[in-house]
Amino acid sequence: MAGKCDLQKWNPVFKEGSVNSATLVEPMGIVLNKNGEIFFSDLRMHRIIKIANSRVMTIAGNSEIDLSHSNIGGYAEEGYADGKAKLALFDGPQGLAFDKEGNLYIVDTNNSCIRKLSPNGMVTTFCK
């Protein structure tokens, strides 16, 4: 569906773009919204990613990708920050679920909390 399997085994680099050229690192938890768009988290890139209209794009998370980290399997800086989706930081996002209003709930595993991405593009901590 999207991503190039085993394109780079060492230091893979997340790359957005068409479903044919995108590179994923460690996709986890997947959910569909009411429009049939696909959402998933990337455990190592600490991002929430969307597939729609044959494109792969980050919708939340802004972790810096570190190519020189000792984790040679790929790494991005983890964090914790609420706010605008593209400025929010996560640490190990995994499980995802939508409610009937279109809010996306994210299990932010290593921050020990549940975060909410609202349709207006804001990330807040729902439960901590």
Side-chain angles (χ1 to χ4, degrees):
M1 165 138 269
K4 294 187 169 193
C5 299
D6 294 326
L7 180 66
Q8 284 181 281
K9 290 188 184 250
W10 308 112
N11 282 331
V13 176
F14 172 70
K15 179 181 161 194
E16 297 179 316
S18 78
V19 293
N20 297 322
S21 65
T23 305
L24 308 177
V25 178
E26 193 169 346
M28 300 290 280
I30 188 169
V31 67
L32 294 150
N33 69 6
K34 63 184 176 185
N35 299 324
E37 297 167 323
I38 299 169
F39 294 76
F40 61 93
S41 58
D42 192 299
L43 188 62
R44 284 200 228 186
M45 295 296 107
H46 309 294
R47 296 166 187 246
I48 308 304
I49 301 166
K50 174 181 173 180
I51 300 174
N53 303 314
S54 298
R55 307 277 310 157
V56 175
M57 64 204 89
T58 298
I59 61 157
N62 186 30
S63 53
E64 182 178 330
I65 296 172
D66 183 353
L67 300 177
S68 63
H69 190 270
S70 62
N71 179 349
I72 60 173
Y75 174 82
E77 183 180 341
E78 65 278 335
Y80 175 83
D82 285 340
K84 293 181 181 179
K86 292 281 190 97
L87 299 177
L89 296 174
F90 299 90
D91 187 357
Q94 291 190 43
L96 304 172
F98 277 102
D99 67 14
K100 63 184 178 182
E101 285 83 37
N103 294 300
L104 178 61
Y105 293 89
I106 304 151
V107 176
D108 195 359
T109 305
N110 296 327
N111 282 320
S112 302
C113 62
I114 298 172
R115 315 281 290 283
K116 178 173 84 172
L117 173 57
S118 63
N120 69 359
M122 295 299 289
V123 172
T124 56
T125 300
F126 179 74
C127 176
K128 185 158 179 143

